[in-house]
Amino acid sequence: MSSSTQLLIRSARILLPNDEFLVGDVQIKNGKIIQIAPEIDNFPTDKILDATGLTLLPGVIDPQVHFREPGLEHKEDLFTASCACAKGGVTSFLEMPNTRPLTTNQATLDDKLNRAAQKCLVNYGFFIGATADNLSELLAVNPTCGIKIFMGSSHGALLVSDEAVLEPIFATGDRLIAVHAEDQSRIIQRRKEFAGISDPAVHSQIQDETTALNATKLALKLSKKYQRRLHILHLSTGIEAEYLRQDKPAWVTTEVTPQHLLLNTTAYEKIGTLAQMNPPLRSPENNEILWQALVDGVIDFIATDRAPHTLAEKAKGYPNTPSGMPGVETSLPLMLTEAIKGRCSVPDIARWMSRGPAIAYNIPDKGAIALGYDADLVLVDLDNYRPVLREELLTKCGWSPFEGWQLTGWPAVTIVGGEIVYNRGQLNTEVRGKSLKFC
Ligand code: DOR
């Protein structure tokens, strides 16, 4: 954006930081919000975006995605993934280290940052992956949103499951540690017990609720021992949520995915291996307990864990199918549809999908529509419903577990750093996001 670029969003229903709505105008200059008022006059008409009938929310910060570049670009790449983000109202993302090569040192982090600077339509940040022997890199690399530890459901160097190897990572430094909490030894044992079963529903039995709880308890134990900042990724079970309700130190946060709130084990009958992810989908009762924990603040925010795999890979037949599903194009409308149903409020959604991740990861000037904040914004249409259609998806993998779902709250316009990156079906692929700062 050139320094003189200005934009006026006119007549939007603006979500203010105090959770109230104001019908009015937002003035943007140099990528920042500089004025919010019922009416702002004397503005050049060619710089005015008419938002009558639309609701203006802070852009979504998706704090857990897998975008596959470098090395796995047949599934997705940073350009296609960021196009999907722009369409979904996601203006910033935090991406995981299980690419090829793994993101485990400064050189591989720099490579991702360079690629993102060239290709990404939205703002980006990257995790550094823990291995058994890269402790010094975990502490030294910059910029990163935090250390990712796969306690389970991984293989190769990124799997760090033994307490003896985990403990020094928790004991050293103060950088945020984000854990994929599944007990790898239990997974290995149960894979043997259930060997030979090709019904993908068995995935939820193999990697059962205890598998998740065991690892969450271990991560909490180590975090408490060293008072180490811990984030528990994609909480999937009611037992973990209830455990955290009883005992969640102030320095611990957690998140839930839309699919763990809205899909459950009945999905295997309808979409087979497209429902396969790690940690797996759970029973409908778990959906309810996770929702309550989110509403009560035990769970802090929402992440998609977007992890695309091709339809050919998903057709291989369980257990040869990879786990994971796409999500950034549908997360905001999925959650806003629940808000309109009365399950929560629209400000709750903005708190869980924008402000919450910004606070947890110390990302300055993002996550709210406030003076001096970055103009990362999304205008959503809360009056109309449209289905999730495969042919409209921008992700390279080309499918969604939510196909056919009738949703409201679809983004009409997405703005990144004051520039319109998506406008009613049209992408501006010239827009580039920025590397996120973590204070
Ligand atoms: O299902 C998953 N797939 N969960 C993860 O955490 C990783 C992901 C992947 O990278 O495919």
Side-chain angles (χ1 to χ4, degrees):
M1 174 179 213
S2 78
S3 58
S4 60
T5 308
Q6 293 220 40
L7 181 69
L8 187 82
I9 303 172
R10 171 142 287 165
S11 303
R13 184 168 163 259
I14 306 160
L15 176 64
L16 299 173
N18 65 1
D19 284 356
E20 287 180 4
F21 286 95
L22 167 80
V23 176
D25 301 348
V26 173
Q27 185 181 356
I28 297 164
K29 190 174 180 187
N30 300 341
K32 294 273 184 191
I33 297 166
I34 62 162
Q35 200 183 166
I36 304 167
E39 207 168 320
I40 299 171
D41 292 326
N42 298 326
F43 214 81
T45 46
D46 62 334
K47 309 266 189 222
I48 294 176
L49 178 70
D50 180 14
T52 309
L54 298 173
T55 298
L56 187 68
L57 302 176
V60 171
I61 300 172
D62 190 334
Q64 194 199 166
V65 298
H66 302 261
F67 281 171
R68 309 305 191 199
E69 181 173 351
L72 300 164
E73 289 92 341
H74 67 285
K75 298 175 196 273
E76 194 74 275
D77 62 56
L78 287 166
F79 175 72
T80 54
S82 69
C83 290
C85 284
K87 177 161 167 271
V90 176
T91 52
S92 299
F93 65 80
L94 305 181
E95 206 260 355
M96 287 297 167
N98 55 335
T99 37
R100 305 287 182 273
L102 307 173
T103 317
T104 53
N105 55 32
Q106 189 68 53
T108 46
L109 178 64
D110 285 344
D111 177 47
K112 267 194 182 171
L113 287 161
N114 289 335
R115 288 166 182 266
Q118 286 167 36
K119 302 183 157 187
C120 263
L121 279 62
V122 302
N123 306 309
Y124 46 87
F126 297 101
F127 282 89
I128 183 83
T131 70
D133 53 15
N134 72 340
L135 191 50
S136 56
E137 278 97 340
L138 294 182
L139 304 175
V141 299
N142 264 310
T144 184
C145 45
I147 298 166
K148 165 71 181 281
I149 305 181
F150 278 94
M151 297 172 72
S153 279
S154 186
H155 46 264
L158 278 189
L159 180 66
V160 184
S161 53
D162 291 346
E163 185 169 348
V165 185
L166 288 165
E167 181 146 1
I169 304 174
F170 277 81
T172 319
D174 55 9
R175 184 162 263 174
L176 178 148
I177 293 176
V179 290
H180 178 127
E182 288 192 278
D183 173 352
Q184 187 67 13
S185 57
R186 187 173 169 90
I187 295 175
I188 291 168
Q189 174 214 322
R190 289 175 73 79
R191 272 193 194 138
K192 287 185 198 142
E193 284 169 31
F194 291 88
I197 302 177
S198 58
D199 177 354
V202 78
H203 189 65
S204 294
Q205 279 175 273
I206 295 172
Q207 294 175 215
D208 66 352
E209 296 179 27
T210 306
T211 301
L213 182 65
N214 287 353
T216 288
K217 279 185 177 171
L218 174 57
L220 271 172
K221 182 178 105 176
L222 292 171
S223 164
K224 280 160 71 173
K225 183 165 177 186
Y226 297 102
Q227 302 204 351
R228 181 62 180 263
R229 173 79 179 93
L230 171 68
H231 179 67
I232 303 166
L233 299 158
H234 42 39
L235 207 73
S236 65
T237 70
I239 43 171
E240 289 170 286
E242 290 312 309
Y243 190 85
L244 286 167
R245 190 186 288 278
Q246 302 306 321
D247 184 13
K248 184 172 171 240
W251 60 86
V252 175
T253 52
T254 188
E255 66 186 31
V256 65
T257 69
Q259 53 271 33
H260 286 112
L261 292 171
L262 297 170
L263 296 176
N264 52 56
T265 42
T266 62
Y268 293 114
E269 289 155 34
K270 295 174 206 137
I271 57 171
T273 57
L274 300 186
Q276 181 193 331
M277 70 166 295
N278 297 329
L281 299 177
R282 310 293 183 193
S283 67
E285 295 73 39
N286 281 283
N287 296 144
E288 296 310 311
I289 304 171
L290 290 170
W291 262 108
Q292 197 56 51
L294 179 64
V295 169
D296 293 344
V298 175
I299 297 175
D300 300 86
F301 50 84
I302 306 264
T304 63
D305 187 23
R306 172 200 179 81
H309 298 283
T310 66
L311 283 167
E313 289 164 335
K314 282 288 194 181
K316 281 181 176 167
Y318 192 83
N320 300 317
T321 36
S323 294
M325 49 180 78
V328 291
E329 280 169 88
T330 47
S331 57
L332 185 58
L334 280 166
M335 294 306 296
L336 287 170
T337 300
E338 295 303 306
I340 298 306
K341 276 186 203 163
R343 198 136 207 194
C344 57
S345 69
V346 172
D348 284 338
I349 302 293
R351 198 173 67 252
W352 298 333
M353 300 186 78
S354 303
R355 197 177 340 144
I359 292 169
Y361 285 94
N362 290 319
I363 305 171
D365 300 337
K366 294 201 189 288
I369 305 176
L371 296 187
Y373 270 56
D374 294 337
D376 294 341
L377 302 163
V378 58
L379 281 162
V380 297
D381 174 3
L382 289 169
D383 291 329
N384 295 295
Y385 282 75
R386 278 198 295 115
V388 179
L389 296 175
R390 181 172 287 199
E391 56 272 26
E392 289 182 2
L393 296 170
L394 296 182
T395 174
K396 205 184 265 188
C397 78
W399 59 275
S400 163
F402 301 105
E403 280 167 47
W405 286 41
Q406 287 284 346
L407 304 179
T408 189
W410 287 98
V413 179
T414 305
I415 296 169
V416 172
E419 294 195 82
I420 298 172
V421 67
Y422 175 79
N423 193 349
R424 299 171 174 93
Q426 295 299 312
L427 282 173
N428 178 357
T429 57
E430 301 296 308
V431 174
R432 289 292 171 271
K434 290 194 177 129
S435 178
L436 292 168
K437 294 191 182 72
F438 309 100
C439 300

